[in-house]
Amino acid sequence: MKSKLTLLAFLANFIAASAFAAPVNINTASASEIAQSLSGVGTTKAHAIVEYREQNGQFKSAGDIVLVNGIGQSTYVKNKQDILIK
C-alpha cells in the first residue's frame, strides 16, 4: 500500500511540475516569458538572456544558452527540453 501511495505522490508532483513548464523560444520570448518557463531561471537570469540576444544576435542552438553569464550547464540540462530555437 505504501508503494502505491509513493507512486501516486510522485506522479502528482510530476504532473504539477509539468503543467507549469512550457517550451519557450529564447530568440523571441520576453524576459518574463523565459522566467516563467525555465526552471531555475529567475527574472535576473531571464533579463541576461534577453540582453545577450540583443547584443550578440539570435541563439543558433539551445545549448548556446550557456554562453549567457549566470547560465550554467546544469541549468541547460534541466531545461533543454523546454528551450526552443526558431
Side-chain angles (χ1 to χ4, degrees):
M1 181 68 171
K2 184 177 179 183
S3 64
K4 286 183 182 180
L5 291 176
T6 303
L7 178 61
L8 287 174
F10 171 78
L11 289 174
N13 286 333
F14 178 77
I15 292 168
S18 298
F20 295 106
V24 62
N25 184 342
I26 60 172
N27 281 329
T28 60
S30 68
S32 176
E33 292 168 326
I34 293 170
Q36 291 174 0
S37 298
L38 299 181
S39 177
V41 177
T43 317
T44 303
K45 288 182 183 178
H47 280 288
I49 292 168
V50 171
E51 286 178 25
Y52 181 91
R53 178 182 75 207
E54 290 172 350
Q55 293 174 1
N56 298 287
Q58 292 193 339
F59 295 94
K60 292 180 176 43
S61 72
D64 285 349
I65 197 169
V66 300
L67 299 173
V68 178
N69 191 25
I71 304 292
Q73 189 68 23
S74 63
T75 300
Y76 165 66
V77 169
K78 186 177 3 178
N79 290 289
K80 66 182 174 181
Q81 71 280 355
D82 293 319
I83 299 172
L84 299 176
I85 301 294
K86 293 186 181 180

